[in-house]
Amino acid sequence: MYNENLDRGIQSFNVPLIPGVNISNIGFHAPPQEPGWPNDGTQNNQGYSSTPWTGTQENGSITWNTETFAQNQNANAIRWGTLYNFRFDADQPPQAANATVGYFKTGSPTMVAIQAPAGGATPTPTPGPITLSAQKKKINGINSVRLTWTGATSTNIDVYRNGVLIVTTPNDGQYDDSTGDTGRAQYRYRVCEADTATCSNDVTVNFPH
């Protein structure tokens, strides 16, 4: 995150995480601050803090933050002309999302467009009785797939497309997936008993045009 010329500074950065995403290797990097010197403009001439921001994962998001202005006027905020880095590894690919930026001095938090991991992690299948089949069709030009399965005993079924959980649906033996795509595409499907690793075979569906 780069602050080009904002005097208010930045105090916090929040990234949303969809349920089912697993993250690791949470990290932070910022340039070291200069030590204080007489009349340097900081409170009590102590210089700005270099304390790393704290990263906390909870309630479907991860937040990095430094102290507030009320707590420490010399806190390690992102002041103008500086670039800070926030990082983590995720087991899901990025998709469009909105992060929240909190300011150090004044002003309400702002939403900013980012890429964040989304979707549910695909379970590693264990041998099970579920048999899946698929039938493709075009509905009003949209690539659509009817999935049918047998052998599942759970109340609900998790449906995965290309490794991403797209829906949890009642176990009534079928689900119609309207992909939203209109052109050439390939989809790989799997269904699992909800919240378990008891899954079906994979089925691949191709739309040539």
Side-chain angles (χ1 to χ4, degrees), residues 35-50:
W37 66 83
N39 304 312
D40 65 2
T42 64
Q43 187 179 40
N44 298 325
N45 302 319
Q46 293 180 346
Y48 293 130
S49 171
S50 292

Side-chain angles (χ1 to χ4, degrees), residues 121-136:
T122 306
T124 300
T126 57
I130 306 174
T131 301
L132 176 67
S133 60
Q135 180 181 6
K136 66 181 180 181

Side-chain angles (χ1 to χ4, degrees), residues 12-176:
S12 65
F13 181 53
N14 173 272
V15 175
L17 299 171
I18 300 299
V21 173
N22 300 301
I23 68 172
S24 59
N25 298 325
I26 300 170
F28 166 82
H29 179 266
Q33 303 287 355
E34 296 286 344
W37 66 83
N39 304 312
D40 65 2
T42 64
Q43 187 179 40
N44 298 325
N45 302 319
Q46 293 180 346
Y48 293 130
S49 171
S50 292
T51 301
W53 287 29
T54 301
T56 304
Q57 181 185 356
E58 60 182 1
N59 298 327
S61 67
I62 180 170
T63 301
W64 289 268
N65 66 277
T66 186
E67 298 165 290
T68 65
F69 185 80
Q71 292 171 327
N72 180 8
Q73 295 184 27
N74 294 332
N76 190 16
I78 307 179
R79 295 177 170 83
W80 61 270
T82 54
L83 174 71
Y84 285 27
N85 301 115
F86 308 90
R87 65 184 183 273
F88 57 82
D89 294 334
D91 65 353
Q92 293 295 299
Q95 298 186 30
N98 289 317
T100 303
V101 173
Y103 296 111
F104 182 58
K105 291 183 179 179
T106 61
S108 300
T110 298
M111 303 288 284
V112 296
I114 64 167
Q115 293 282 306
T122 306
T124 300
T126 57
I130 306 174
T131 301
L132 176 67
S133 60
Q135 180 181 6
K136 66 181 180 181
K137 53 187 174 180
K138 289 273 190 177
I139 300 179
N140 297 325
I142 303 297
N143 297 347
S144 303
V145 179
R146 168 161 289 189
L147 301 173
T148 57
W149 61 86
T150 58
T153 60
S154 60
T155 301
N156 295 312
I157 290 291
D158 290 336
V159 179
Y160 293 85
R161 185 204 312 137
N162 295 338
V164 175
L165 175 64
I166 60 171
V167 70
T168 298
T169 187
N171 182 17
D172 57 8
Q174 70 177 38
Y175 176 75
D176 290 323

